[in-house]
Amino acid sequence: MYDSIVIGAGIAGSVVARQLAEKGNRRVLVLEKREHIGGNCYDRQDAYGILVHEYGPHIFHTNMEDVFSWLSAFTQWTLYENGHQVVANVKGRLIPVPFNLNTLHMLYEKEQADELEKKLTDAYGYGSRVPIMKLRENQDAQIREIAQYVYENIFLKYTMKQWGQTPDQISPAVTGRVPVLISYDNRYFQDQYQGVPRDGFTKMFARMLDHPKITVNTGTDATTRLEFGEDQILLDGEAFTGSVIYTGALDELYQCKYGRLPYRSLRFEFQHFAQEDFQDGHSVVNYTVSEDFTRITEFKHLTRQEDANGTTIVKEYPFAYTGAEGEIPYYAILNAKNQALYEKYKKLAQQHKNMYLLGRLAEYQYYNMDAMVKKALVLADTLLSC
């Protein structure tokens, strides 16, 4: 009855399902454990009519023309004219992050700021992105002073809250995403396209999955219909020889038989206020020194709902994922020990020649949204070429 089965209706699953159905005329069954599509990008209107992101803020950003064009078939966009901008609350003062030359001139008197700007530009070149750990190794004492300020006030406590670890325990792949920008660019991302789907992520995914060759079952745990034996995969008790694309947590597919893969999870605290603004026009404010939460998102600014009555915010509290009911694994904790554990689960999956792992959870990796779309399209095209 089906040519392919996709487990998960988030970014990875929805994109690969659409490509298989539309480009390859494949009959695709999508099984989604949650009661909704869209994965962690799921958005909804709250009780006050404000579109909120249920699982934290999601901003699409890319330089990939092909990815942007492909997604644009399913949505119009609300693009950020000046890019997505974030500020950090450092002891009550709001400063742009990533730290850049605008931040530098906010913190130092003009003469000293000009001198420091020249040193940074001479050392790294205007427009460069310098990882904070690399900046701390500079031989110049004044540059190290800047690096230490960023390290202590923007990086250190925020990182410890987010990951539950000290910075020296965290993968360089993570610390490398905390740069100092040698430019006057206040954008959080430097990609050409930045924004959100005009009607929301959920409607974009709904259009993506709306195809006569795609059947979507939400509220369906894949393990209630699929059985992963040693040499074959069964669908409803019958051998299934088509492709199976799995996007969920790989350890949980195998009942964590080797132990649970570590993740960080998030708890969200939504609040609505009968006032026009909560953060002086800022969509995201990071709390890098104080508070137990890491950031506050104000949705009317994030999605440009400036005509909304009142305003809704969400605070994010990180914690260690335990697998308890209601918890969601968000961020893989990348280190050699955890990667070795993941490889053991990957070997189990490789027993099935028709099974493919795709996505943050299935691959135990971090992907930006555009990279995930690209990888899903490549996988679909690879399957269609077989």
Side-chain angles (χ1 to χ4, degrees):
M1 189 174 179
Y2 300 106
D3 301 302
S4 298
I5 299 172
V6 176
I7 301 171
I11 299 171
S14 298
V15 171
V16 75
R18 179 68 185 217
Q19 190 76 341
L20 289 172
E22 185 168 51
K23 190 172 180 181
N25 201 34
R26 299 284 177 90
R27 296 163 298 177
V28 184
L29 173 63
V30 179
L31 302 176
E32 170 54 56
K33 188 174 183 178
R34 295 177 185 173
E35 297 292 340
H36 61 75
I37 62 171
N40 292 341
C41 288
Y42 172 72
D43 49 21
R44 59 173 178 82
Q45 282 199 333
D46 68 5
Y48 306 94
I50 295 176
L51 185 69
V52 299
H53 295 182
E54 183 78 6
Y55 306 102
H58 284 79
I59 298 100
F60 178 76
H61 55 98
T62 192
N63 283 322
M64 301 182 195
E65 290 282 353
D66 55 341
V67 169
F68 182 74
S69 177
W70 193 89
L71 289 176
S72 296
F74 308 103
T75 187
Q76 293 182 306
W77 298 93
T78 296
L79 295 176
Y80 302 151
E81 186 176 338
N82 297 313
H84 175 53
Q85 299 190 22
V86 176
V87 294
N89 185 311
V90 179
K91 301 171 185 175
R93 186 176 190 180
L94 299 181
I95 63 173
V97 291
F99 188 100
N100 60 49
L101 296 180
N102 286 313
T103 323
L104 181 75
H105 282 269
M106 289 177 65
L107 298 175
Y108 293 90
E109 296 294 333
K110 186 179 186 311
E111 184 176 344
Q112 187 178 7
D114 287 343
E115 180 184 355
L116 292 171
E117 176 181 341
K118 184 177 187 309
K119 285 190 173 187
L120 287 168
T121 304
D122 289 346
Y124 302 104
Y126 186 84
S128 61
R129 298 169 60 90
V130 187
I132 180 58
M133 296 307 193
K134 181 178 178 180
L135 202 70
R136 294 182 78 206
E137 297 169 357
N138 194 286
Q139 297 300 309
D140 188 287
Q142 287 187 305
I143 291 180
R144 289 200 308 275
E145 179 186 327
I146 298 170
Q148 192 62 22
Y149 176 88
V150 176
Y151 181 79
E152 291 179 358
N153 292 282
I154 297 176
F155 178 74
L156 179 61
K157 292 179 182 178
Y158 186 89
T159 300
M160 292 174 70
K161 283 192 291 184
Q162 181 73 10
W163 295 99
Q165 297 175 315
T166 56
D168 59 296
Q169 296 174 309
I170 297 174
S171 163
V174 174
T175 58
R177 295 201 298 268
V178 184
V180 168
L181 303 186
I182 315 302
S183 72
Y184 286 92
D185 189 349
N186 278 344
R187 297 177 302 166
Y188 194 75
F189 310 113
Q190 276 64 57
D191 301 289
Q192 179 181 358
Y193 300 107
Q194 301 182 37
V196 292
R198 186 169 299 176
D199 299 323
F201 283 100
T202 304
K203 289 188 177 179
M204 180 180 75
F205 286 115
R207 295 183 189 114
M208 202 179 293
L209 293 168
D210 183 14
H211 190 281
K213 293 287 183 178
I214 299 176
T215 300
V216 180
N217 292 165
T218 55
T220 303
D221 188 327
T223 59
T224 63
R225 298 195 60 185
L226 290 169
E227 182 180 342
F228 296 85
E230 287 188 8
D231 57 353
Q232 63 180 344
I233 299 174
L234 305 180
L235 171 64
D236 299 331
E238 301 286 338
F240 183 78
T241 58
S243 56
V244 176
I245 298 97
Y246 182 74
T247 71
L250 194 55
D251 57 340
E252 295 181 356
L253 179 64
Y254 297 104
Q255 294 77 52
C256 300
K257 66 181 293 183
Y258 299 129
R260 185 173 292 282
L261 283 166
Y263 288 91
R264 293 294 284 176
S265 189
L266 295 168
R267 177 174 65 84
F268 299 102
E269 182 182 290
F270 287 85
Q271 294 175 278
H272 183 80
F273 298 93
Q275 60 195 56
E276 291 307 303
D277 180 80
F278 185 81
Q279 299 190 134
D280 296 325
H282 298 292
S283 60
V284 178
V285 177
N286 289 353
Y287 285 77
T288 56
V289 178
S290 60
E291 314 301 338
D292 292 332
F293 51 83
T294 52
R295 61 181 174 180
I296 296 178
T297 298
E298 187 167 359
F299 289 103
K300 68 186 300 180
H301 302 317
L302 188 79
T303 55
R304 303 298 192 257
Q305 303 169 76
E306 305 300 347
D307 57 346
N309 293 321
T311 191
T312 299
I313 67 166
V314 68
K315 298 176 181 177
E316 296 181 36
Y317 296 84
F319 65 95
Y321 176 70
T322 68
E325 185 70 26
E327 291 183 2
I328 298 171
Y330 283 95
Y331 304 110
I333 300 176
L334 303 176
N335 58 42
K337 179 183 176 182
N338 296 344
Q339 187 62 36
L341 178 57
Y342 169 76
E343 291 298 326
K344 294 175 73 173
Y345 286 111
K346 186 177 177 181
K347 277 189 176 181
L348 291 179
Q350 288 172 336
Q351 295 177 116
H352 308 294
K353 301 304 181 186
N354 59 331
M355 183 173 174
Y356 302 86
L357 305 178
L358 180 69
R360 285 190 183 188
L361 299 181
E363 299 180 66
Y364 203 65
Q365 290 289 334
Y366 180 86
Y367 287 104
N368 284 330
M369 201 181 305
D370 62 337
M372 193 68 265
V373 172
K374 183 72 172 182
K375 188 155 192 182
L377 292 173
V378 169
L379 174 59
D381 290 346
T382 299
L383 294 175
L384 293 175
S385 67
C386 294

